[in-house]
Amino acid sequence: QVGSCSGRMIAHYARHYPLTTFIGTDITPELIELSSRKYNFTNCQFTECPAHRLPALWSRANNLQITVFSAGSLKYVQPEHLELLLRSISNEPNNTIQLLIQETINELVIDSGKPLGSQWDNEFKYTHNYHYYAERTELTLVRNQIIRPYLPYEKFPNKKLGTAHLFCHYTNKKR
């Protein structure tokens, strides 16, 4: 998991799928230490690792099915590091990699054709156009879905106009 934070989400999966290996990553050493202490499962570990360095975790593996998922964390990754990560996934020769992204997005920004890459939103995060990066790095789109839970917007005045949830699934295997 990219940005595992407290480790709660990945520990949930580790508990329910004991025959699968899970790795939670984060850039904050204190969170890695906390998660490691709190969720001490044999099939789950936590490691300090920025998103663009994730390929080092699977670089020596062969013939594995790897799922990389982010639940709201890739928006904090700098655009150039996002592209490095996606290019590494796309070019991985020995393993099949599925990339699952779940993010809150501003649909008005994406629908306007911007950003062609990423747009800084002045809150320490970006609105990334994942399809743009996937095309540039030759990842294959498996599924894309936008969920609009805040319609009509007038009924949700505390939400920014255009707020939606994006789910994307890409793979490095060409169709």
Side-chain angles (χ1 to χ4, degrees):
Q1 178 182 8
V2 179
S4 59
C5 197
S6 70
R8 183 175 56 129
M9 182 182 288
I10 198 160
H12 168 81
Y13 291 115
R15 190 177 296 116
H16 289 286
Y17 300 96
L19 300 178
T20 301
T21 301
F22 293 87
I23 302 172
T25 66
D26 208 287
I27 60 170
T28 309
E30 295 82 9
L31 287 173
I32 296 302
E33 185 181 322
L34 171 80
S35 302
S36 297
R37 274 197 324 267
K38 190 171 183 178
Y39 303 108
N40 190 10
F41 303 133
T42 57
N43 66 328
C44 186
Q45 68 183 47
F46 298 90
T47 187
E48 185 179 344
C49 183
H52 67 286
R53 297 226 171 97
L54 285 176
L57 298 177
W58 65 72
S59 65
R60 287 185 239 133
N62 240 347
N63 263 351
L64 290 181
Q65 297 288 324
I66 298 170
T67 300
V68 175
F69 77 94
S70 171
S73 295
L74 282 179
K75 64 185 166 192
Y76 298 103
V77 173
Q78 295 175 346
E80 59 273 20
H81 291 166
L82 177 66
E83 188 163 353
L84 282 172
L85 171 63
L86 299 189
R87 192 167 305 287
S88 296
I89 291 172
S90 180
N91 294 334
E92 170 55 42
N94 302 319
N95 301 291
T96 299
I97 302 178
Q98 308 297 322
L99 173 62
L100 306 176
I101 302 170
Q102 176 192 333
E103 298 276 328
T104 301
I105 61 164
N106 185 325
E107 190 175 17
L108 301 177
V109 172
I110 297 294
D111 281 350
S112 69
K114 295 185 220 164
L116 281 179
S118 302
Q119 183 170 329
W120 173 252
D121 78 356
N122 297 321
E123 295 179 5
F124 299 106
K125 61 186 187 299
Y126 295 88
T127 296
H128 296 299
N129 185 333
Y130 294 104
H131 298 313
Y132 168 81
Y133 289 108
E135 285 178 6
R136 282 177 58 90
T137 60
E138 299 181 8
L139 283 174
T140 302
L141 176 65
V142 176
R143 182 172 179 214
N144 178 61
Q145 182 178 3
I146 295 178
I147 302 165
R148 299 171 181 90
Y150 308 115
L151 290 177
Y153 289 119
E154 307 81 56
K155 290 189 176 184
F156 301 92
N158 60 330
K159 294 294 178 186
K160 190 188 263 185
L161 188 65
T163 298
H165 299 281
L166 174 68
F167 173 78
C168 298
H169 176 187
Y170 298 101
T171 184
N172 65 332
K173 292 303 169 195
K174 311 303 179 229
R175 291 198 171 179

